[in-house]
């Protein structure tokens, strides 16, 4: 029930996170404990707490409906960014919930609520949550520097499907992240990664094939393109060297 003024000391539009500083006695603040969102399971019971429609401290319950979702953000008229590794929940989230918490039944932070999928601007059972592993990684930078630089390697790509694998003379069971294009002047170009070099037709559609297929990063298996973006979001920072294994 305490109400105080706050000031924004840092924010990152690309992860939809911000840090607000409040000047109150530390004795009335009770820091939340973090759950490991990488251990979250579909079907797990969760609780959302926020201020939907200005109804302060409203609590709703539900389950984790999906993991590893991607959420596209329009940062400007020309720039878009996709938040990877997003958690989907059916706990009721409405306008005003953004920036609230999603916790497990122990009250530990699973993530920060950020958006809903809805044609009516109200809850229809599809809410999106920035996972705690990303919150823990980014917030210290926001406190220290006021901003966060998102890591990237400089490629675009897609999942290696059985159809794409066979078109590239690989086993149909082979999985990974297929590199479609490598952007000039990026770490990926410097490292020698190569994008698609030919086009084939699959199910009547022209499809790019022939690029490198990333199968692991720092020893962690990569089974699709989402695994790659999730690794960067969870563990990588600007200036860090990572080891990529590819076909």
């Amino acid at each position: 029930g305490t109400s105080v003024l706050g000031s924004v000391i840092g924010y990152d539009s690309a992860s939809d996170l911000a840090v607000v500083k409040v000047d109150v006695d530390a004795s009335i603040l009770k820091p939340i404990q973090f759950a490991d969102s990488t251990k979250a399971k579909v079907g797990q019971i969760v609780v959302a707490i926020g201020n939907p429609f200005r109804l302060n401290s409203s609590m709703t319950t539900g389950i984790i409906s999906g993991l590893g979702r991607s959420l596209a953000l329009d940062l400007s008229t020309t720039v878009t960014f996709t938040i990877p590794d997003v958690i989907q929940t059916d706990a009721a989230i409405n306008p005003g919930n953004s920036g609230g918490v999603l916790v497990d039944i122990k009250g530990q932070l699973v993530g920060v609520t950020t958006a809903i999928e809805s044609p009516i601007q109200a809850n229809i059972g599809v809410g999106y949550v920035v996972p705690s592993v990303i919150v823990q990684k980014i917030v210290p930078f926001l406190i220290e520097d006021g901003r966060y630089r998102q890591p990237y390697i400089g490629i675009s790509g897609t999942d290696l499907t059985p159809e794409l694998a066979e078109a590239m003379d690989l086993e149909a069971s082979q999985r990974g992240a297929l590199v479609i294009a490598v952007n000039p002047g990026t770490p990926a170009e410097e490292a020698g990664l190569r994008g698609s070099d030919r086009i084939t037709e699959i199910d009547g559609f022209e499809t790019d094939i022939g690029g490198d297929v990333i199968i692991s990063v720092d020893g962690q298996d990569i089974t699709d393109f989402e695994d790659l973006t999730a690794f960067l979001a969870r563990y990588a920072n600007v200036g860090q060297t990572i080891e990529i294994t590819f076909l």
Side-chain angles (χ1 to χ4, degrees):
T2 302
S3 180
V4 297
L5 294 175
S7 58
V8 176
I9 62 170
Y11 68 91
D12 176 46
S13 299
S15 60
D16 203 24
L17 293 172
V19 173
V20 178
K21 182 179 181 180
V22 293
D23 185 16
V24 296
D25 191 279
S27 64
I28 70 170
L29 299 176
K30 297 180 175 59
I32 194 168
Q33 301 299 309
F34 278 72
D36 183 354
S37 59
T38 65
K39 301 289 197 321
K41 303 291 185 184
V42 172
Q44 178 180 336
I45 296 174
V46 285
V47 177
I49 302 175
N51 301 331
F53 302 111
R54 300 184 181 180
L55 299 171
N56 293 347
S57 303
S58 293
M59 171 187 279
T60 56
T61 63
I63 62 169
I64 291 177
S65 307
L67 297 166
R69 305 303 195 202
S70 294
L71 180 62
L73 300 176
D74 291 319
L75 302 184
S76 69
T77 56
T78 58
V79 178
T80 60
F81 185 84
T82 299
I83 304 177
D85 205 25
V86 169
I87 295 170
Q88 178 189 338
T89 181
D90 70 350
I93 294 173
N94 287 290
N97 270 103
S98 295
V101 296
L102 189 78
V103 299
D104 60 20
I105 57 175
K106 296 179 181 178
Q108 296 179 330
L109 183 74
V110 176
V112 174
T113 53
T114 187
I116 58 174
E117 192 82 53
S118 175
I120 59 173
Q121 296 299 303
N123 175 62
I124 60 169
V126 181
Y128 297 122
V129 181
V130 177
S132 64
V133 66
I134 293 180
V135 176
Q136 282 182 294
K137 173 188 166 186
I138 291 179
V139 162
F141 286 93
L142 300 184
I143 294 173
E144 183 71 23
D145 304 324
R147 67 188 186 98
Y148 178 74
R149 294 173 61 199
Q150 292 288 341
Y152 75 100
I153 59 176
I155 65 172
S156 59
T158 189
D159 302 341
L160 183 69
T161 63
E163 294 83 2
L164 290 173
E166 289 186 331
M168 293 171 58
D169 297 323
L170 298 170
E171 294 291 333
S173 59
Q174 179 65 56
R175 294 293 178 268
L178 173 62
V179 179
I180 298 297
V182 177
N183 298 325
T186 62
E189 183 186 55
E190 184 179 345
L193 284 174
R194 294 181 297 181
S196 298
D197 57 6
R198 60 189 187 275
I199 296 175
T200 191
E201 188 173 292
I202 297 177
D203 294 333
F205 294 94
E206 290 190 344
T207 304
D208 293 302
I209 61 170
D212 292 334
V213 178
I214 297 173
I215 58 174
S216 75
V217 180
D218 282 355
Q220 292 197 28
D221 290 342
I222 301 297
T223 60
D224 54 32
F225 203 81
E226 181 68 32
D227 282 348
L228 177 61
T229 56
F231 177 90
L232 295 175
R234 290 176 179 179
Y235 308 118
N237 284 306
V238 171
Q240 178 180 340
T241 299
I242 59 176
E243 184 175 285
I244 291 177
T245 303
F246 63 93
L247 307 176

